[in-house]
Amino acid sequence: MTHPLDRAVWNALTTRLSGFVTADSDDRAVRIDPEVGVFLSGADATPESLAAMAALALAHPGAGMVEATGGPMAELDLPGVGVVDRIPLVQMVATALTPGGPDLAFEILTEADVPDMLALATLTRPGPFRSATRRLGPFIGIKQDGRLVAMAGRRLRVDGFTELSGVCTHPDWRGRGYAAGLSRAVAGTILASGEQVFLHAFAAHDATLAFYRSLGFEARIGMTYTLFN
């Protein structure tokens, strides 16, 4: 495993997102602030790192680990920590976007929008979203009559790559191109900065995978999302 995205969580939390980890993280294991997200990762699969990861998982319940399927970290058991589920993901990467429709009018979401962001993410379940996830952004959104109906933003950052995340649209407002427009806006900004854009999608969601392929993303590798108690 030598590509920086093979261990995107570890590489992000020990470099560009190190300011978001808990105070009890160290060089063997890191846990993102639970108000920001669920991510947990370790340096390797040695007993020392597993014990450090377990301590963080127990201290901050609800942790999740995303690792390359088939890799040495993909299906670890942490001592004393229960596994809720292991969910297959697909990691996708784009170096350019396909030609798209007209730009949409959107706004940058602020702290005042957090309750609406949480409500939208809870309803649509694009992936883990917490009260301070917005701090990983910026996130952008579309509002109708003052109501947030769609959003998208950024999450993990490693050298040369930034993740598109939190893409969701209220069921009553789907079919209007909001998810595509917001995804293109976020991804386009990342690409314009000289980085590539990546994302993680549920492997079982064929329509979601097809949607991202239509924007120019290509599947790179299978990932396993392990959710702990």
Side-chain angles (χ1 to χ4, degrees):
M1 297 290 175
T2 58
H3 193 285
L5 294 185
D6 291 343
R7 304 209 62 216
V9 173
W10 174 258
N11 289 330
L13 295 187
T14 56
T15 58
R16 295 172 67 185
L17 296 186
S18 61
F20 291 97
V21 303
T22 59
D24 49 354
S25 297
D26 58 27
D27 59 358
R28 297 167 303 169
V30 288
R31 170 68 158 98
I32 198 168
D33 180 344
E35 296 301 313
V36 175
V38 303
F39 291 128
L40 168 74
S41 192
D44 48 42
T46 61
E48 294 78 12
S49 292
L50 294 182
M53 293 173 68
L56 289 177
L58 293 171
H60 311 283
M65 186 170 64
V66 176
E67 297 285 349
T69 302
M73 304 288 288
E75 296 193 12
L76 293 177
D77 290 319
L78 303 180
V81 182
V83 172
V84 176
D85 203 359
R86 297 191 197 271
I87 304 170
L89 305 177
V90 177
Q91 186 184 84
M92 307 182 78
V93 178
T95 58
L97 297 177
T98 58
D103 293 337
L104 295 175
F106 61 80
E107 59 186 84
I108 297 175
L109 301 178
T110 70
E111 189 68 22
D113 296 304
V114 167
D116 290 340
M117 296 171 74
L118 277 172
L120 183 60
T122 300
L123 176 66
T124 59
R125 303 177 64 84
F129 198 92
R130 299 293 183 266
S131 61
T133 299
R134 187 193 67 82
R135 293 168 53 200
L136 297 175
F139 276 78
I140 59 176
I142 295 173
K143 296 179 182 179
Q144 296 291 348
D145 298 323
R147 175 189 183 191
L148 182 66
V149 299
M151 69 176 180
R154 309 180 197 192
R155 188 168 59 179
L156 296 177
R157 293 174 172 84
V158 302
D159 288 345
F161 300 87
T162 292
E163 184 185 25
L164 169 67
S165 183
V167 180
C168 55
T169 304
H170 191 284
D172 293 344
W173 294 88
R174 289 175 181 164
R176 302 167 188 250
Y178 291 170
L182 293 176
S183 294
R184 287 183 180 279
V186 174
T189 301
I190 294 168
L191 292 170
S193 74
E195 296 191 335
Q196 295 181 39
V197 56
F198 72 105
L199 59 85
H200 294 101
F202 293 111
H205 293 184
D206 291 340
T208 300
L209 299 177
F211 165 73
Y212 286 119
R213 283 195 295 268
S214 74
L215 299 181
F217 287 86
E218 296 182 358
R220 180 186 168 269
I221 192 173
M223 307 291 283
T224 299
Y225 172 39
T226 301
L227 181 62
F228 298 103
N229 285 331

